[in-house]
Amino acid sequence: MSTKKKTVHYKFSEENEPIAEETFMQFPVLDLDLTKRYTFADYLTWMDSRLRELIDGIINYVRTPKRIHQEISSKLNYLFGSFLYEGRGKCRVYHPPFAVRLPVGGATEDDQIYNVLLPDICVVCDLSKLDDKGCIGAPDLVVEILSPSTARNDWNKKFNLYEKAGVREYWIVDPNAKMVHVFLLQEDGNYDFGTIYDSTQKVSVHILEGLTIDLKEIFED
């Protein structure tokens, strides 16, 4: 007569038992000079929980976003990702803390890169730009969602950086006005004047043929 054996889903071995007693290192909050110009090499040494960007070497702290910001980001990320994961293109979609390095003058060494951004969403179609540290070079699409602490940079410094780096499509999402501003890179290397879409409209994603975003769903609370 056979007897059933009880299935063991997981069992700690004697070798694994000490792991539960290990203490984990907690990194101190860094007191960095906000007037100093840093590089990506410096950036990699900052072992704490703060999110930062570098804009021309100057630190820009990234604050925790509000709920509506997170909801819009999650919806857009899901729609981009679902479209791509269904096999409609080789591109990849990423969200923070995914680091985008924008070299200047062809300098690609870590200690020569002064622009490191954390876009709310970015889509990369040239997979040769991806490495273990993130993306080096311009993504094909970048989405920035406005908040009081980021609006000035999103409209000015980041706009200029993305344009100069060659980001083909740049979206600025305004949660308060429930609008999306879409800028497309022209042959002369500059963005067009932009197209504004409100919450009653749909936006075709230019770099992803066949994908259309219904803004009513994006801004729906």
Side-chain angles (χ1 to χ4, degrees), residues 56-76:
D56 194 27
I58 302 301
I59 292 173
N60 174 50
Y61 282 105
V62 178
R63 297 182 182 180
T64 302
K66 293 183 178 180
R67 177 186 61 83
I68 187 63
H69 182 291
Q70 288 291 75
E71 289 188 0
I72 291 172
S73 178
S74 296
K75 290 175 184 178
L76 287 173

Side-chain angles (χ1 to χ4, degrees), residues 3-216:
T3 58
K4 290 185 178 180
K5 293 184 178 180
K6 184 178 180 180
T7 301
V8 178
H9 296 285
Y10 190 84
K11 182 179 181 180
F12 284 104
S13 67
E14 291 182 359
E15 295 179 354
N16 289 334
E17 286 177 359
I19 293 178
E21 300 175 3
E22 287 185 354
T23 57
F24 294 93
M25 182 181 296
Q26 295 186 2
F27 296 103
V29 176
L30 300 176
D31 184 17
L32 299 172
D33 183 351
L34 300 184
T35 65
K36 182 180 176 180
R37 196 164 182 246
Y38 296 96
T39 69
F40 185 58
D42 299 313
Y43 187 97
L44 293 174
T45 68
W46 298 335
M47 303 297 290
D48 64 355
S49 59
R50 298 291 301 273
L51 290 182
R52 304 173 182 84
E53 296 176 311
L54 291 181
I55 298 179
D56 194 27
I58 302 301
I59 292 173
N60 174 50
Y61 282 105
V62 178
R63 297 182 182 180
T64 302
K66 293 183 178 180
R67 177 186 61 83
I68 187 63
H69 182 291
Q70 288 291 75
E71 289 188 0
I72 291 172
S73 178
S74 296
K75 290 175 184 178
L76 287 173
N77 189 65
Y78 171 77
L79 292 172
F80 286 132
S82 297
F83 181 85
L84 293 172
Y85 298 147
E86 287 174 0
R88 301 182 189 179
K90 62 179 181 178
C91 308
R92 306 280 176 83
V93 59
Y94 297 96
H95 55 85
F98 183 78
V100 172
R101 290 160 281 157
L102 300 178
V104 175
T108 59
E109 296 298 321
D110 291 347
D111 61 358
Q112 297 176 327
I113 294 176
Y114 293 90
N115 294 301
V116 183
L117 303 179
L118 305 176
D120 289 315
I121 298 174
C122 68
V123 176
V124 181
C125 297
D126 182 355
L127 304 188
S128 68
K129 295 180 179 180
L130 300 175
D131 59 20
D132 290 340
K133 301 171 187 174
C135 174
I136 182 164
D140 293 84
L141 181 147
V142 165
V143 178
E144 295 286 7
I145 302 169
L146 297 179
S147 64
S149 64
T150 68
R152 179 176 295 182
N153 278 341
D154 292 340
W155 276 113
N156 294 286
K157 292 181 180 180
K158 288 188 177 182
F159 183 101
N160 293 330
L161 283 173
Y162 291 142
E163 182 181 60
K164 186 175 181 179
V167 175
R168 293 162 53 197
E169 188 168 351
Y170 180 36
W171 289 26
I172 297 179
V173 180
D174 187 336
N176 292 331
K178 296 187 176 182
M179 289 182 176
V180 175
H181 303 255
V182 176
F183 299 91
L184 301 177
L185 198 68
Q186 305 301 296
E187 291 184 2
D188 62 3
N190 297 313
Y191 283 131
D192 61 12
F193 291 109
T195 304
I196 302 174
Y197 300 87
D198 64 33
S199 60
T200 67
Q201 296 177 289
K202 297 180 180 181
V203 184
S204 295
V205 183
H206 290 77
I207 69 156
L208 299 175
E209 185 177 354
L211 177 58
T212 300
I213 304 295
D214 187 344
L215 296 183
K216 181 179 179 181

